[in-house]
Amino acid sequence: MPSTPAAAARQILIRLQEVMAARNSAQAKLNKVVEIIGESLSSEVCSIYLVREGVLELFATRGLKQEAVHVTRMAMGEGLVGLIATNVETLNLDEAASHPDFSYRPETGEELFHSFAGVPIVRRERALGVLCVQHADPRKYEEVEIEALQTVAMVMSELIANAELADDGPTDQRVTDTGTTMLHGLQLVMGMARGHVVFHQPRVHIEHTVAEDTEAERQRVVSAFTKMREQIDRMTGAAEFGMEGEHQEVLETYKMFAYDEGWTRRINEAIDSGLTAEAAIERVQQHTRMRMRKIDDPLLSDRMHDLEDLANRLLRIVSGQLGTAAQMGLRQDAILIARNLGPAELLEYDRRRLKGVILEEGSLTAHVTIVARAMGVPVLGRVRDIRHLVNEGDLVLMDVGTNSVLIRPTADMEEAFETRLHVTQKRRAEFVAMRDLPSVTADGQRVELMVNAGLREDAQALDLVGADGIGLFRTEFQFLVSATLPQREKQQRLYKDVLDAAGDRPVIFRTVDIGGDKALPYMQRDDDEHEDNPAMGWRALRLALDRDALMKVQARALLEASAGKILHVMFPMVSEPWEYEAARALVEHQREWLHAQKKKLPIAVRYGAMLEVPALAEVLDILLPKLDFLSIGTNDLTQFLFAADRAHPKLAERYDWLSIAILRFLDRVVRTCHDYKVPVGVCGEMGGRTLEAMALIGLGVRRLSITPASVGPVKAMIRAIDAEELRTVMRGLLDGGVIDIRGRLTQWAVERNIELS
Ligand code: PEP
Ligand code: MG
């Protein structure tokens, strides 16, 4: 076996090419293929299993008993072969029988063989079958051999699909259902839109996988790369957002991938192994997909989408096949449907025609979400299977606020949607008109209304909605969208821009809440221990105090950015007072150091803690005297109070924020803060819901930090209520006599004509 993967695969491909070109049956070709691979890898056994009618069937073998061919069948997920096909992953074992999934099939005579390696035969991201080798000696197959197998599997997928030997997954057939369907998803960018379905991406079909002239294929890739890089440079250069923002960092990262030499090198190596340019790009992409699938990290999978986006673009260029819907002229009212999108792909669309985007995947921190938010295009994510449930041109009504999309609505539904849209627009106009009116209750009590933010462009919302400041600036967002750890200068620039946009309104910066499920790919952990409960794990302040270099850099960035102003800083997930004290001391130390360096400093620093961990409520008498303010994070607090994962869809509606347990808990905290004369606010999502905000005001909360879209509705409610009367109502409800607090408060509001939108 030659020592480089490319040479090894190339040797096999040359022999395979003859087999493929021969004029005999597909079965005869498969029989020959297993012989060639077995010989080339000096493997006693080589077998091919194909998925037929949903089951993996042994189609050809060298080394196992021939009687087993077309007899041995395994369900998907059954045995090692089933595992490879289901997970679309490679296995390489020196002792197959000791793997927990090993399933012995006596008819094959495989008990003689110990080592086992198998690779999936993939087409359109699904396994068509499995190619595996076995050996009598217990030995692990070498990387060269595995790579050769993967390349061969790539070529085989063409043979198998052309001969229609295996199930080929869902086709591009039209959806036959023409009825109305409602689907649900995840809110990514808020908004409502009516429009017609446009599929983002026609499929690129790879027609030939084995190259005739390797040098020519290399040239094709070189010119495709040049063309693709030109496109990316053009698109990113032309993107106009009117303001600096995270999307620029996102695009920089994206560009970095486009220019990644490692990627080019891997594609060239695949070409050296005998593949065509198209097959080489796909082969490398399959490899990356397999690797990424093993990493259970939402951030890395976001990066994966960037890579998919670029690989698809490269494939389209190299194969000269159709572009995305963006290049084909978009219809007037397009709702774009895609599995996922890369940020640059989205930028290619005409913003005036693009009304909304619906994705089968997607996440809040994904690059495409950030760019869409900057473009002002509503996005609904995680809508399962939508690509297979709609046809191009179908009418859809999307309402991100209700997490829903209505496909092929009836005329009545369309009318109701238009009315809702109209009401929403009218209400929005009313809120805009209310923008400069004070946030004061009917009986003259002032309630500070601040906004939650995390991106540079969020600061614009302050003026748009007329908020009193930023009550929670989630500094980790910058870390989450960057490919590398943001340097101090970069952090400082962001903080300064946000402070400048806020003018004399306060901005409360929360130090990074990373770790746990918000893992940063570029940050090494001390251990690779998997966390069963990342929300309760090594995150936020816990991590920051252990890794204090990160916190020191951030403290300096915050102090320097606030020179000549008041810096408000708060710490997340404080569980015990000493943590707060240690964090504060760390910032103070940085302040002293900067002072010694004769740097310009903030005129004052105000320190706060977030109350998200219930235990902290029991030690407020110790903590409050040391604090300038307290901010209650009801998102985490309720998940810990009820022991209910805040991200679990089945638990999302189960526990009510207006339950007696939460209200009593909050009441106690708010009253203790009043006793100690420490300002207290709520910065979780609870405060952004009108009825919940009303309850909080009834408990005495006078500062809410909420999502910008809620400022209008909440302010309208505040201006309509009598806070004193509400306080008495809430006191009564805390007694526990009323079970349905939500119902009672709604009734109270309705009787007083208070709008609860
Ligand atoms: C909270 O937990 O309520 C909060 C505001 O913080 P985050 O949502 O960022 O965890
Ligand atoms: Mg929190």
Side-chain angles (χ1 to χ4, degrees):
M1 182 100 196
S3 59
T4 69
R10 193 173 169 74
Q11 223 174 51
I12 304 178
L13 283 200
I14 291 170
R15 296 186 63 191
L16 279 187
Q17 210 169 5
E18 285 167 27
V19 177
M20 310 266 270
R23 295 168 68 87
N24 48 17
S25 71
Q27 179 69 50
K29 287 181 184 171
L30 290 185
N31 293 346
K32 198 80 191 126
V33 167
V34 291
E35 286 299 332
I36 294 174
I37 299 170
E39 257 171 48
S40 311
L41 268 57
S42 315
S43 237
E44 281 124 350
V45 177
C46 175
S47 312
I48 293 173
Y49 291 80
L50 297 183
V51 180
R52 211 156 56 161
E53 289 159 5
V55 174
L56 283 150
E57 181 175 316
L58 179 64
F59 252 73
T61 184
R62 151 194 154 115
L64 295 184
K65 289 189 184 151
Q66 290 303 317
E67 304 90 272
V69 173
H70 298 300
V71 171
T72 297
R73 296 173 62 124
M74 316 237 197
M76 293 294 273
E78 185 191 353
L80 300 177
V81 168
L83 191 69
I84 293 169
T86 309
N87 296 348
V88 199
E89 68 175 21
T90 297
L91 274 186
N92 183 5
L93 309 167
D94 44 7
E95 191 51 80
S98 46
H99 191 284
D101 284 291
F102 179 75
S103 155
Y104 173 56
R105 291 307 172 95
E107 72 275 13
T108 61
E110 64 182 340
E111 62 277 14
L112 302 172
F113 307 103
H114 292 270
S115 55
F116 173 98
V119 298
I121 302 170
V122 187
R123 189 171 151 88
R124 295 184 194 151
E125 295 168 45
R126 289 170 197 248
L128 287 182
V130 172
L131 171 65
C132 55
V133 285
Q134 288 170 274
H135 206 75
D137 296 335
R139 62 138 170 152
K140 262 220 160 111
Y141 285 87
E142 290 180 25
E143 196 54 30
V144 210
E145 296 172 304
I146 298 292
E147 297 231 345
L149 273 179
Q150 287 170 339
T151 302
V152 172
M154 164 101 224
V155 173
M156 303 245 337
S157 70
E158 181 194 352
L159 166 77
I160 292 160
N162 289 344
E164 295 180 5
L165 290 178
D167 303 348
D168 198 7
T171 58
D172 294 337
Q173 282 163 1
R174 282 182 64 82
V175 176
T176 44
D177 184 4
T178 51
T180 302
T181 315
M182 164 92 91
L183 297 175
H184 289 92
L186 177 74
Q187 296 178 0
L188 293 183
V189 180
M190 288 303 258
M192 288 174 82
R194 173 196 181 282
H196 292 88
V197 166
V198 170
F199 284 108
H200 165 62
Q201 178 133 233
R203 260 192 189 121
V204 177
H205 292 288
I206 299 179
E207 309 211 336
H208 299 289
T209 51
V210 183
E212 285 176 6
D213 178 350
T214 298
E215 195 40 46
E217 297 300 321
R218 271 176 170 278
Q219 281 311 319
R220 292 178 66 213
V221 165
V222 169
S223 56
F225 260 105
T226 311
K227 207 161 169 189
M228 180 188 77
R229 287 169 182 165
E230 276 168 16
Q231 283 183 2
I232 304 287
D233 289 346
R234 215 173 28 246
M235 276 177 336
T236 52
E240 357 130 349
F241 293 102
M243 192 179 175
E244 300 231 320
E246 268 66 18
H247 48 269
Q248 282 170 333
E249 279 160 32
V250 162
L251 293 176
E252 267 171 44
T253 314
Y254 186 77
K255 254 169 101 162
M256 209 174 75
F257 284 137
Y259 281 88
D260 178 13
E261 287 306 322
W263 187 31
T264 327
R265 196 192 59 243
R266 285 192 295 279
I267 293 177
N268 276 318
E269 280 168 6
I271 290 180
D272 285 345
S273 71
L275 295 177
T276 57
E278 288 89 339
I281 297 167
E282 178 58 21
R283 160 89 178 77
V284 170
Q285 201 50 21
Q286 270 182 18
H287 196 252
T288 317
R289 260 183 228 128
M290 281 187 213
R291 260 199 357 230
M292 301 298 262
R293 215 171 258 145
K294 291 201 189 119
I295 307 171
D296 184 18
D297 181 333
L299 274 169
L300 279 186
S301 63
D302 288 346
R303 301 297 174 272
M304 180 66 205
H305 299 143
D306 290 0
L307 276 173
E308 287 274 356
D309 174 0
L310 284 165
N312 284 336
R313 180 178 297 276
L314 199 61
L315 260 181
R316 284 196 303 267
I317 295 173
V318 91
S319 64
Q321 294 185 36
L322 290 178
T324 68
Q327 284 109 37
M328 293 188 286
L330 203 58
R331 56 184 302 155
Q332 253 324 319
D333 56 347
I335 304 270
L336 198 63
I337 310 279
R339 182 168 63 86
N340 214 324
L341 282 175
E345 286 185 308
L346 182 62
L347 282 174
E348 276 184 320
Y349 284 93
D350 180 343
R351 210 176 313 182
R352 286 157 303 176
R353 291 167 181 253
L354 185 62
K355 302 299 175 209
V357 174
I358 303 175
L359 303 175
E360 287 186 356
E361 298 177 355
S363 74
L364 265 173
T365 49
H367 288 168
V368 67
T369 309
I370 291 162
V371 172
R373 195 179 299 128
M375 286 170 74
V377 176
V379 184
L380 189 65
R382 310 255 174 100
V383 181
R384 281 182 60 185
D385 252 3
I386 182 146
R387 283 180 305 160
H388 300 116
L389 297 169
V390 291
N391 284 313
E392 179 95 23
D394 277 350
L395 177 65
V396 290
L397 308 173
M398 63 185 280
D399 183 355
V400 184
T402 57
N403 302 37
S404 66
V405 53
L406 205 52
I407 301 167
R408 298 176 290 268
T410 61
D412 286 355
M413 291 168 172
E414 210 184 325
E415 201 177 306
F417 181 86
E418 292 294 343
T419 312
R420 240 181 27 254
L421 185 62
H422 185 71
V423 170
T424 313
Q425 282 164 348
K426 192 161 152 269
R427 288 277 288 157
R428 204 173 297 142
E430 285 166 14
F431 298 146
V432 170
M434 219 178 8
R435 198 187 60 177
D436 299 322
L437 298 177
S439 168
V440 176
T441 61
D443 57 336
Q445 301 228 12
R446 166 108 170 95
V447 181
E448 259 182 288
L449 277 187
M450 304 175 92
V451 287
N452 293 345
L455 300 170
R456 189 180 260 109
E457 53 263 37
D458 290 348
Q460 297 171 82
L462 275 175
D463 291 327
L464 287 177
V465 300
D468 294 314
I470 296 179
L472 165 66
F473 189 87
R474 293 179 164 108
T475 60
E476 66 273 11
F477 274 25
Q478 185 185 30
F479 289 67
L480 290 170
V481 300
S482 299
T484 52
L485 194 75
Q487 299 300 302
R488 181 173 55 77
E489 292 73 19
K490 226 171 182 180
Q491 295 182 33
Q492 193 171 319
R493 218 175 314 132
L494 169 66
Y495 306 152
K496 181 156 180 346
D497 288 349
V498 173
L499 284 164
D500 286 347
D504 47 15
R505 289 165 293 194
V507 178
I508 301 178
F509 290 99
R510 175 176 78 181
T511 57
V512 282
D513 184 355
I514 49 172
D517 57 344
K518 289 191 227 159
L520 302 178
Y522 46 81
M523 216 176 101
Q524 288 291 315
R525 298 178 55 116
D526 293 337
D527 50 59
D528 338 308
E529 262 174 43
H530 162 79
E531 288 188 315
D532 280 341
N533 286 306
M536 294 197 257
W538 191 57
R539 65 174 265 210
L541 196 56
R542 299 164 180 185
L543 180 153
L545 288 176
D546 290 352
R547 289 283 178 89
D548 64 357
L550 182 90
M551 180 95 157
K552 281 180 187 157
V553 169
Q554 185 170 39
R556 253 188 77 185
L558 285 167
L559 287 160
E560 293 203 48
S562 315
K565 299 188 170 177
I566 298 177
L567 167 63
H568 293 84
V569 59
M570 71 176 171
F571 308 112
M573 288 284 289
V574 177
S575 310
E576 295 196 324
W578 72 264
E579 292 170 327
Y580 163 78
E581 284 176 65
R584 180 186 170 131
L586 190 147
V587 179
E588 279 298 300
H589 193 260
Q590 291 303 307
R591 178 151 73 147
E592 282 154 24
W593 187 83
L594 285 171
H595 181 65
Q597 304 294 309
K598 308 222 173 337
K599 297 265 189 193
K600 199 164 172 231
L601 290 171
I603 44 178
V605 183
R606 306 248 192 273
Y607 291 96
M610 285 192 72
L611 190 140
E612 310 179 83
V613 178
L616 201 66
E618 296 298 329
V619 286
L620 287 177
D621 55 327
I622 305 169
L623 180 71
L624 289 175
K626 302 178 172 103
L627 282 186
D628 293 314
F629 61 93
L630 186 80
S631 189
I632 307 176
T634 45
N635 303 339
D636 276 315
L637 180 67
T638 42
Q639 87 164 336
F640 297 135
L641 274 178
F642 279 123
D645 185 345
R646 68 193 252 188
H648 198 306
K650 289 211 169 72
L651 301 179
E653 302 289 325
R654 192 170 188 118
Y655 304 106
D656 193 348
W657 269 317
L658 295 180
S659 70
I660 190 91
I662 293 190
L663 295 174
R664 278 183 182 168
F665 187 96
L666 292 175
D667 176 54
R668 204 153 54 91
V669 172
V670 171
R671 278 194 292 138
T672 315
C673 287
H674 288 170
D675 290 348
Y676 281 83
K677 303 204 168 15
V678 171
V680 57
V682 169
C683 65
E685 302 304 312
M686 178 179 179
R689 305 240 204 137
T690 322
L691 194 67
E692 280 81 343
M694 201 175 89
L696 290 169
I697 293 168
L699 294 179
V701 173
R702 291 294 178 266
R703 175 190 283 172
L704 296 173
S705 187
I706 58 186
T707 163
S710 298
V711 171
V714 171
K715 194 194 271 188
M717 174 275 292
I718 289 172
R719 293 178 56 82
I721 55 169
D722 180 317
E724 208 36 50
E725 188 194 344
L726 181 61
R727 196 178 70 90
T728 317
V729 173
M730 281 307 289
R731 290 256 73 79
L733 291 175
L734 289 177
D735 286 349
V738 176
I739 305 227
D740 181 13
I741 296 183
R742 178 171 293 280
R744 182 58 66 87
L745 277 177
T746 308
Q747 187 194 352
W748 183 83
V750 170
E751 282 165 8
R752 283 154 189 79
N753 284 328
I754 299 164
E755 286 231 32
L756 296 172
S757 58

